[in-house]
Amino acid sequence: MEEISHTRRVVLDLGSTNTGSTRAFFDLRCHCYVEDLNEFIEDIDQTSPSRFDLLEAHLLDKPDDLKFDYILCWDIFNYIDQDLQTHLFNLLTPHLKEGTLLHTIRYTDEFMPAIPGQFKIKSDLTFTMNQDINNNKTNAPVLSTIQMLKNMSPFNLRSTIMNQKGMRKDVTEY
């Protein structure tokens, strides 16, 4: 988050619009686009062959010349299958540029929250995740870092963060 704060940047937030995170980006004078894939995940049948078309219909139209500096995926990839992840990146590729940074979170335990998190950026540029108030759990997908990177082509891994002070013990940030 601190990297975003240094200059005017173009940010794509794939998370929920309900958390108010966009306010933090506007305060930093960033251009911010929010896709609310949390809503998409709640509304689709993950096994439906039409999920690819539904994803395309869900995404907002963007100007052809729009290039993102940062893409915040939060924990979304834990909730969509690998084919849909690849399709999402194919749709976003025209809006990537050399140096576009992506942030994502992967659950590392056997179980994860049943629904994607609601992430809120705080004034000190750290973020919090609101848990499912019912604390429902579901099986976490078995996805190695290598598999995840293949799905996220053309991105490369720059850094991994885990077991830091204040972090949940069942997540890894990329």
Side-chain angles (χ1 to χ4, degrees):
M1 292 301 152
E2 194 166 314
E3 286 186 44
I4 294 173
S5 71
H6 293 299
T7 59
R8 293 176 60 120
R9 301 295 185 153
V10 180
V11 178
L12 173 62
D13 186 340
L14 297 178
S16 174
T17 57
N18 295 332
T19 61
S21 292
T22 52
R23 177 72 185 174
F25 297 125
F26 291 138
D27 288 347
L28 294 171
R29 307 227 188 288
C30 295
H31 298 282
C32 186
Y33 296 81
V34 181
E35 292 289 3
D36 201 344
L37 289 186
N38 290 31
E39 178 182 78
F40 170 76
I41 290 166
E42 290 174 20
D43 292 343
I44 67 156
D45 173 359
Q46 290 283 340
T47 61
S48 170
S50 66
R51 68 190 186 283
F52 303 103
D53 294 331
L54 293 171
L55 176 62
E56 288 181 46
H58 180 84
L59 296 178
L60 301 172
D61 290 332
K62 296 168 195 62
D64 291 339
D65 62 343
L66 178 66
K67 302 292 184 191
F68 294 112
D69 295 298
Y70 297 96
I71 300 175
L72 302 174
C73 301
W74 305 112
D75 62 349
I76 296 297
F77 295 137
N78 295 276
Y79 298 93
I80 60 176
D81 66 71
Q82 293 181 45
D83 291 334
L84 199 56
Q85 290 174 24
T86 301
H87 187 65
L88 173 63
F89 277 98
N90 288 339
L91 295 172
L92 294 177
T93 295
H95 303 290
L96 304 178
K97 63 182 184 179
E98 187 171 333
T100 298
L101 294 177
L102 180 138
H103 174 270
T104 191
I105 296 171
R106 182 168 62 100
Y107 293 103
T108 57
D109 280 352
E110 182 180 353
F111 298 100
M112 66 182 192
I115 60 173
Q118 301 283 326
F119 295 88
K120 183 168 179 72
I121 299 171
K122 300 188 312 188
S123 61
D124 66 353
L125 300 180
T126 60
F127 62 88
T128 60
M129 176 182 153
N130 295 334
Q131 288 290 319
D132 175 8
I133 57 171
N134 297 322
N135 209 16
N136 293 327
K137 298 281 186 182
T138 190
N139 290 332
V142 178
L143 184 65
S144 71
T145 301
I146 302 278
Q147 288 172 314
M148 187 177 68
L149 286 169
K150 284 181 182 177
N151 299 341
M152 295 180 354
S153 179
F155 286 95
N156 296 309
L157 182 61
R158 181 174 120 177
S159 64
T160 302
I161 305 168
M162 59 184 160
N163 298 323
Q164 298 293 312
K165 183 178 179 179
M167 280 185 71
R168 290 174 48 148
K169 300 299 180 202
D170 65 337
V171 300
T172 299
E173 290 184 55
Y174 299 96

